Every structure is written in structure tokens, then in C-alpha cells.
């Protein structure tokens, strides 16, 4: 087996790391996850947290409705981003896109199945 330390990796001279990772949430780059507009709704308790600690540099407040606030982000909805959304549970809701909303619903259904008989 080849030792990875023996290999030399070179980036192109014009490689723009900031641009390359601009639509990434964390370190996971999804080969099939294209950047898109995402709108999440945070409940009254969590909206203050998101205002002070945005999830991503693209995050902006759309509107604060009092009981909840809507935020817009532009990024690739990769595994690590979805895990972050699941981490906060019912304090946030994905409004759009429908594909991400459906994926969240799948994860939540799987979690429910684990605990439904308790």
C-alpha cells in the first residue's frame, strides 16, 4: 500500500481557497450538493442565537416576526450542514428548498422510528 506522505500534492497557482469554500458549510464538500438559496425559520428562543452567531457568512435576516424569524443562506446543503440543523431540533424549520425540507423530514422520521415504542 502506498504511503500518502510520499506523495506531493500541488494546487494550481491561481487556486482561490476563499472562493472554493465560499458556499461550503464546514469541511465536507458534497460532490452532488450544489449551492442554493436556503431559508430557515428560527423560533423565538433560537433567533437571537442565530442573529449573534450566524451559521454561515452568507446568512442574512429576512424578517423578524416576533415569535420567529426567517433567515436566508446561500450554500451547499452537505451532510455537516444537515447535522447542524438536526442538532437544534425543533428550534428551526427549513422553509425552502423543498428538497432539503424533504431530506430533513426523512432524517426526523428515521429518528422517530428509533424511539416510537418507548
Amino acid at each position: 500500500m502506498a504511503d500518502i506522505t510520499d506523495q506531493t500534492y500541488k494546487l494550481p497557482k491561481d487556486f482561490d481557497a476563499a472562493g472554493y469554500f465560499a458556499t461550503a458549510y464546514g469541511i465536507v464538500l458534497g460532490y452532488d450538493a450544489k449551492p442554493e438559496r436556503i431559508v430557515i425559520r428560527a423560533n423565538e428562543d433560537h433567533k437571537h442565537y442565530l442573529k449573534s452567531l450566524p451559521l454561515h457568512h452568507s446568512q442574512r435576516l429576512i424578517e423578524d416576526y416576533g415569535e420567529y424569524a426567517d433567515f436566508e443562506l446561500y450554500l451547499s446543503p452537505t451532510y455537516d450542514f444537515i447535522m447542524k440543523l438536526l442538532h437544534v431540533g425543533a428550534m428551526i424549520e427549513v422553509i425552502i428548498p423543498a428538497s432539503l425540507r424533504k431530506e430533513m423530514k426523512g432524517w426526523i422520521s428515521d429518528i422517530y422510528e428509533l424511539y416510537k415504542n418507548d
Side-chain angles (χ1 to χ4, degrees), residues 6 20 25 49 58-59 66 70-73 81 95 98-99 104 109 112:
D6 294 338
Y20 185 77
Y25 171 72
Y49 182 83
S58 69
Q59 179 180 307
D70 289 347
F71 296 88
E72 176 184 65
L73 302 95
F81 179 67
I95 304 301
S99 58
M104 293 291 292
S109 294
Y112 173 75

Side-chain angles (χ1 to χ4, degrees), residues 101-117:
R101 189 173 171 88
K102 182 178 178 181
E103 188 162 356
M104 293 291 292
K105 184 177 179 180
W107 279 99
I108 294 163
S109 294
D110 291 347
I111 294 167
Y112 173 75
E113 287 298 315
L114 291 173
Y115 295 98
K116 72 179 181 181
N117 295 323

